[in-house]
Amino acid sequence: MTGDEAVRDGVRAGERAARRLAELGVCVLEPGLSDAEFDRIEAEYGIVFAPGHRGFLAAGLPVGRAAPPEEGESPRNPWPDWRDGDPDVIREWLGWPVEELLFSVEHGWWLPGGRWGHRPADPAEAVAAARAALASVPTLIPLRGHRYLAAAGAGKAVAPGRAVLSVVGADTIHYGRDLAEWVEREFGDPGSDRAWPEPAAGDRVPFWSDLAG
């Protein structure tokens, strides 16, 4: 598949996901983001949406739940509001994957396999070493709650992997090979115990997918 074909395929998957989300009626959808809005958002937050993520948000912008939160569920809106949301909240959300992983490092976790070298004995030094190593991993952009998609690299048309990831500290799970599969798993068939295929090599997200095994 060429780069242009991969971009078109990603956009189509994002559009299918948005249509399915609308059919399921699980969130409030506003008109999708315009090209001008994408340009503003990417410049403000220093990110580049992957083709699938861009296609998804251009087809319809999720801005909140379709029903009040259930008992025990966080009252916080699980969808980032890229159009009118609080910039500080969105920046915090963008920082969660790395900051929560660093919290795990502070409390004893260390990347297995020697890829980060020997763990420093001092927790502060371990966090500093991990932060330096994480500076080169793909940025994760919030999709919903702790679900993320990898950002496209600066100046690149295709993102490093299309898999949707659930990331909480060092606990990472593949939640779909692309957005369309994620919507079906998260909302269309929740609680299913059937096996979901692992993403192909080209759909895995460098570093983050390795945490998922």
Side-chain angles (χ1 to χ4, degrees):
M1 183 182 294
T2 67
D4 288 344
E5 289 172 336
V7 169
R8 288 193 294 269
D9 188 54
V11 170
R12 285 193 294 267
E15 292 170 341
R16 287 197 307 274
R19 288 195 298 270
R20 181 60 173 146
L21 197 64
E23 290 173 1
L24 292 165
V26 294
C27 65
V28 176
L29 285 169
E30 290 186 351
L33 297 176
S34 66
D35 287 343
E37 286 177 311
F38 276 114
D39 290 343
R40 174 187 63 79
I41 293 162
E42 291 180 336
E44 182 170 359
Y45 298 108
I47 56 176
V48 180
F49 289 101
H53 205 167
R54 191 179 181 103
F56 179 71
L57 296 174
L61 179 66
V63 294
R65 296 181 175 89
E70 297 179 359
E71 184 177 354
E73 192 176 12
S74 170
R76 183 171 182 169
N77 177 16
W79 298 96
D81 184 350
W82 295 106
R83 177 175 287 131
D84 298 317
D86 183 336
D88 289 337
V89 171
I90 291 178
R91 288 191 180 94
E92 179 186 8
W93 213 331
L94 283 163
W96 277 356
V98 166
E99 292 305 317
E100 290 184 343
L101 189 56
L102 292 174
F103 181 82
S104 297
V105 169
E106 184 180 4
H107 289 81
W109 183 84
W110 195 247
L111 186 68
R115 290 169 55 188
W116 284 354
H118 180 71
R119 176 188 168 93
D122 181 79
E125 292 181 6
V127 168
R131 188 182 294 278
L134 290 168
S136 61
V137 306
T139 298
L140 297 183
I141 300 179
L143 178 59
R144 180 185 185 274
H146 284 281
R147 312 294 189 248
Y148 292 87
L149 281 170
K156 298 178 183 178
V158 181
R162 301 188 306 172
V164 175
L165 297 169
S166 175
V167 181
V168 182
D171 183 11
T172 300
I173 301 170
H174 286 118
Y175 248 74
R177 291 170 296 182
D178 58 24
L179 273 162
E181 188 172 88
W182 166 71
V183 166
E184 200 60 46
R185 178 175 190 175
E186 190 87 50
F187 304 109
D189 194 14
S192 172
D193 58 0
R194 69 187 177 93
W196 288 81
E198 285 294 309
D203 293 330
R204 291 171 62 87
V205 180
F207 177 77
W208 298 104
S209 283
D210 293 342
L211 296 183

